Amino acid sequence: MTSKTLRRRLHHADVDGKRHEHLEEASGLDDLNEPLLGNPDIWPFESALAEIWNDEQRLQQLHWALLFSQLIAQWARWLANIVLGSGSLIGRLLTSATKNGPKSRLLAPTRTPLQEVRLKNLQQRLQVPFDGSRVEHQDALKQLWRLAYPDRELPPLKSELWKEMGWQGADPSTDFRGGGFISLENLIFFAEQYPELFHRLLHKQDGSRAEWEYPFAVAGINVSFVLAQMLDLQSAKPTSMAGIRFVQLLEEDEMAFDNLFCVTFQMMDAQWLAKRASYMEFNDVMKSTRTQLERELALEDVSSVKDLPAYNLLAK
């Protein structure tokens, strides 16, 4: 059985093989708060994002508690230095007790004007939903097909052929929902900047693959969505630790989000192969990918996406 046939099985049958050929009739939803992740009887992504969202809420609660503690610590240092005098015994004790706390870097540094502009531009991109009636969005979808299959004829915007790229049905526009137009831009950027790696992932050429593989295009939408959540880009001023570090990366690279998308997609696939995962395990793979990325963003010597250890995956 060819890899193409295996990928098509994801669209033609559910886990127990009881239903066939019915997914292509699924309609798009208007809610843009989460991506279209498919029939919950078939796709593991919806529960994955629910768990990620719950984890995000717990992390945010912890973060704000730590942030409040740091504000108290900073106030204590100010009191020691200004009121009591840093040269006094009490002043030295208070300064020593609060200076090197384990969470002393939680407060976001002042952003530069360049970071402000680039963050605002990125957040504006994130607010644009995919609209299948807009000519420029249709053209972008066609561009992705040409990049993916340069030697094949461009199909109509509604065609069974789109399933071969990893869309759920014959109409890719129904798969974007919460991923928005930026997720399509991310896929195009990946195909243009790293064409060889893009095609290796698209055609699942690396490693020993499961019979039930993750769908390439829909997985890309999920990577974009999870990145935006992890980096706290819905907030006017990101306060998550990963978000604060990411804003710093914008100083060096205006396309940091797009480049990080490429790194994350490749990380996810590497995790997929290492775990010998099947598509029902996409949940665990995406969560472990996120954890690894958060750790790498926390490294002190990371000032650009290229400094991330996982960036080496793009050079293979």
Side-chain angles (χ1 to χ4, degrees), residues 109 111-112 115-116 119 231 233 237-238 242-252:
R111 295 201 292 261
T112 68
Q115 289 172 351
E116 291 278 7
L119 176 61
L231 301 176
L233 295 176
K237 295 182 178 181
I244 291 170
R245 293 304 305 275
F246 172 76
V247 172
Q248 295 173 344
L249 303 186
L250 290 173
E251 184 75 22
E252 300 291 331

Side-chain angles (χ1 to χ4, degrees), residues 95-112:
T95 301
S96 175
T98 60
K99 182 177 181 181
N100 297 313
K103 300 299 180 180
S104 60
R105 291 176 294 168
L106 278 176
L107 284 180
T110 302
R111 295 201 292 261
T112 68

